Amino acid sequence: LPFPLLRLAGGPRTTGMADGGSGSKGGKDVVEYLVAGCGAGAVSRTCIAPVERIKIIFQTTRCTASASGWARIVPQIFRDEGVLAFWKGNTIGVIRVLPYMSLQFTSNEVYRAWLSEAFGDRLPAPLRHLTAGIFAGGTAIALTYPLDTLRARMAVQCRTQPMSMAEMLRRGLAEEGVAVWYRGCWMSMQGGGVYVGLKFMTYDGLKGRFHKFMGVTNDKDLAVWQRVVSGAVGGLFAQTVVYPMDIIRRRSQTVKGAKPYRGVWHGLSTIAREEGIRKGLYRGLTLNYMKAIPNVAISLSLYDILKYWLHELRRNPASVH
């Protein structure tokens, strides 16, 4: 694991609250970070599971369909497979989200505290939040990537001959080997790291604005709607910037045989040349907004709420009802 994560039990280091930080103490409260991350990730992932499945199916098809083609997928799934089919792949999605979100939130707290300790005020808060988020996103993706590949394959598998998670994993290992489960991992770490960094930077920056406008000095005193708005804007901004990388990642995960792209720039240029910008690189962006905005708003705000509740529960159990 990266060096800062080896210091999870290190000494306290308070991060600033005026800039939207949580005011937590680095690795000292790692258990609360992990538990809060798991809870926030599981709830938000289940809420947006139907949109996620539709998005994956739409992303991994070529541009023969119209730009509104994703809307046709909804009645088709309902007619052919029933309402529960919208949550197909959600089990592996939640299994993947539990370690992914807990690692992402925890490593973000630790990286941020480490950067504060190493650079102090020489590193502006927005840059500190962005850098910590980039490393946190890359760490979480690298450690959970095979689960994400399995989830993507579960979502696009043939409806007439569905396979269980165990069967798909066994067949994939037998026919394609271990490396296929990490196909596109480096590209995902680049795009996903930037996404997480932008998400946290925007979220904490907007929370900092609410601190000033509302006269709030302690981050835990922010209203829920203020966290939700900050998270929604953070998700909107981050997804718009890195969405083309998500297209490349999904196609790399779901295609069988040789890699479809040699790298990030090869993938971007190939898709733009063959399918265009709007119908290729930003194919399904509207649908992705429907997923990303509520997902980020729920996960970030719920993480803060759970984290502060767990802190209070540990320090003063009698005061928590």
Side-chain angles (χ1 to χ4, degrees):
L1 291 177
F3 173 70
L5 291 185
L6 297 177
R7 303 177 59 197
L8 288 176
R13 173 68 185 183
T14 302
T15 56
M17 290 184 288
D19 57 15
S22 65
S24 56
K25 297 183 177 181
K28 187 177 182 181
D29 302 316
V30 63
V31 174
E32 283 88 350
Y33 300 154
L34 291 170
V35 174
C38 285
V43 172
S44 61
R45 178 62 181 80
T46 302
C47 288
I48 56 87
V51 181
E52 175 69 4
R53 188 181 181 215
I54 296 167
K55 187 198 75 168
I56 292 176
I57 294 173
F58 189 68
Q59 281 183 327
T60 53
T61 57
R62 296 291 178 177
C63 60
T64 52
S66 64
S68 61
W70 65 265
R72 300 192 185 101
I73 298 174
V74 178
Q76 182 179 349
I77 293 176
F78 180 76
R79 182 180 63 252
D80 296 345
E81 305 176 70
V83 66
L84 293 181
F86 289 102
W87 277 267
K88 180 181 286 186
N90 187 55
T91 300
I92 187 63
V94 172
I95 291 173
R96 180 247 178 190
V97 155
L98 292 180
Y100 174 76
M101 294 301 289
S102 61
L103 283 169
Q104 182 188 120
F105 281 117
T106 302
S107 57
N108 178 65
E109 299 273 10
V110 175
Y111 283 130
R112 188 177 296 186
W114 179 73
L115 288 170
S116 297
E117 182 179 350
F119 297 99
D121 294 335
R122 292 173 294 167
L123 190 66
L127 186 57
R128 182 171 66 249
H129 297 164
L130 175 64
T131 304
I134 289 174
F135 284 114
T139 299
I141 288 170
L143 295 177
T144 63
Y145 194 76
L147 289 173
D148 192 45
T149 300
L150 181 60
R151 176 175 67 93
R153 292 196 170 197
M154 287 288 294
V156 301
Q157 68 175 315
C158 178
R159 294 190 298 271
T160 58
Q161 295 179 323
M163 288 187 288
S164 66
M165 290 184 292
E167 175 63 17
M168 181 168 288
L169 180 60
R170 186 196 64 78
R171 183 173 296 184
L173 289 171
E175 297 177 356
E176 302 175 82
V178 176
V180 70
W181 298 102
Y182 288 91
R183 177 182 291 167
C185 183
W186 176 240
M187 289 188 289
S188 296
M189 289 177 65
Q190 295 175 64
V194 172
Y195 166 74
V196 174
L198 292 173
K199 177 181 71 173
F200 280 123
M201 181 187 70
T202 306
Y203 178 65
D204 287 309
L206 288 176
K207 285 201 303 178
R209 294 293 182 181
F210 278 122
H211 286 170
K212 295 179 181 178
F213 293 154
M214 304 297 177
V216 175
T217 57
N218 196 320
D219 187 71
K220 69 179 181 179
D221 294 329
L222 279 180
V224 173
W225 72 265
Q226 295 163 354
R227 300 184 192 279
V228 170
V229 169
S230 299
V233 175
L236 176 68
F237 175 61
Q239 280 291 337
T240 302
V241 173
V242 305
Y243 187 74
M245 301 283 289
D246 196 41
I247 293 283
I248 297 173
R249 174 170 67 101
R250 288 304 181 201
R251 293 188 180 180
S252 297
Q253 288 177 325
T254 55
V255 70
K256 292 187 177 181
K259 293 181 180 179
Y261 312 112
R262 293 191 299 269
V264 175
W265 295 113
H266 178 248
L268 293 174
S269 60
T270 300
I271 294 174
R273 182 178 65 255
E274 296 179 355
E275 304 175 52
I277 302 296
R278 185 173 65 87
K279 293 186 178 181
L281 293 178
Y282 284 93
R283 179 177 176 79
L285 180 61
T286 301
L287 182 65
N288 202 57
Y289 283 152
M290 295 169 60
K291 168 214 167 185
I293 294 175
N295 182 41
V296 177
I298 293 171
S299 63
L300 289 178
S301 56
L302 184 57
Y303 170 76
D304 275 352
I305 293 169
L306 288 174
K307 179 178 65 175
Y308 290 128
W309 182 81
L310 289 168
H311 284 348
E312 187 65 23
L313 178 64
R314 176 167 57 86
R315 292 164 185 162
N316 189 11
S319 66
V320 180
H321 302 283

